[in-house]
Amino acid sequence: MKLRIDNEAMLEEFFENTRLLGIVASIEQYRFCWYLNQMLNFDFRINNSIEIHLNKKTRNYFFPIFQYGNQSGSIKHYLYNTEDDGEYLLPAFRHLDFLWLMNDDVPTDQELSVLMNSIKTIPSVQMVVELTNEKI
């Protein structure tokens, strides 16, 4: 008997209750999180236990992930830094500096629009766009 991993089903399940934003911002990751925390009342914290490690061309690259769990609901926020020393987490999206994944109790279209407009008020943010998992 052979067991097979159904990657399509895993992807569907992972992205089932998610919203994803791509952000272009010429700002350091810690400063961007500081702005999110101060201006938009989030509490992003780096979570080193879930950072993404990539070994490519005998070099190690680390893509930190900042995490925030809303106390009043079940929504979880993950902010991915997409670049490390010239290497990209998603080479097809090398123009994006951050990916913001929201899952579980995802925001409505109106709430997401308000969030996107608020992010655009942060200095150095050039673009905020919603992405779909199919694009990734």
Side-chain angles (χ1 to χ4, degrees):
M1 176 180 185
K2 284 187 177 182
L3 297 177
R4 289 193 166 167
I5 296 175
D6 186 354
N7 288 334
E8 289 294 321
M10 285 175 51
L11 278 174
E12 259 183 52
E13 186 178 321
F14 179 80
F15 285 108
E16 186 175 13
N17 291 315
T18 62
R19 301 294 291 261
L20 186 64
L21 298 177
I23 301 166
V24 177
S26 57
I27 189 171
E28 292 291 327
Q29 61 194 3
Y30 66 90
R31 290 191 49 84
F32 183 60
C33 283
W34 184 86
Y35 278 115
L36 292 173
N37 292 343
Q38 296 300 311
M39 294 175 65
L40 305 181
N41 204 26
F42 282 93
D43 190 22
F44 277 102
R45 304 281 179 190
I46 193 163
N47 186 340
N48 292 322
S49 65
I50 60 173
E51 81 178 351
I52 298 171
H53 174 243
L54 178 66
N55 187 336
K56 193 172 186 180
K57 301 175 190 166
T58 67
R59 289 202 50 205
N60 291 317
Y61 299 96
F62 299 93
F63 301 95
I65 300 173
F66 295 82
Q67 185 176 4
Y68 168 63
N70 190 341
Q71 305 302 338
S72 63
S74 63
I75 190 168
K76 293 177 186 72
H77 300 267
Y78 300 93
L79 185 67
Y80 298 79
N81 184 5
T82 62
E83 190 266 336
D84 181 32
D85 197 26
E87 190 60 44
Y88 297 92
L89 181 61
L90 299 171
F93 292 97
R94 61 180 4 155
H95 60 283
L96 296 177
D97 297 301
F98 301 97
L99 289 174
W100 185 335
L101 178 95
M102 294 161 262
N103 72 355
D104 290 339
D105 186 18
V106 296
T108 64
D109 289 342
Q110 183 178 0
E111 292 169 332
L112 189 67
S113 178
V114 168
L115 177 62
M116 290 171 65
N117 288 329
S118 298
I119 294 168
K120 289 176 187 175
T121 66
I122 294 174
S124 300
V125 171
Q126 300 162 359
M127 182 178 75
V128 181
V129 63
E130 184 174 13
L131 301 172
T132 62
N133 63 315
E134 291 86 14
K135 290 183 180 178
I136 298 177

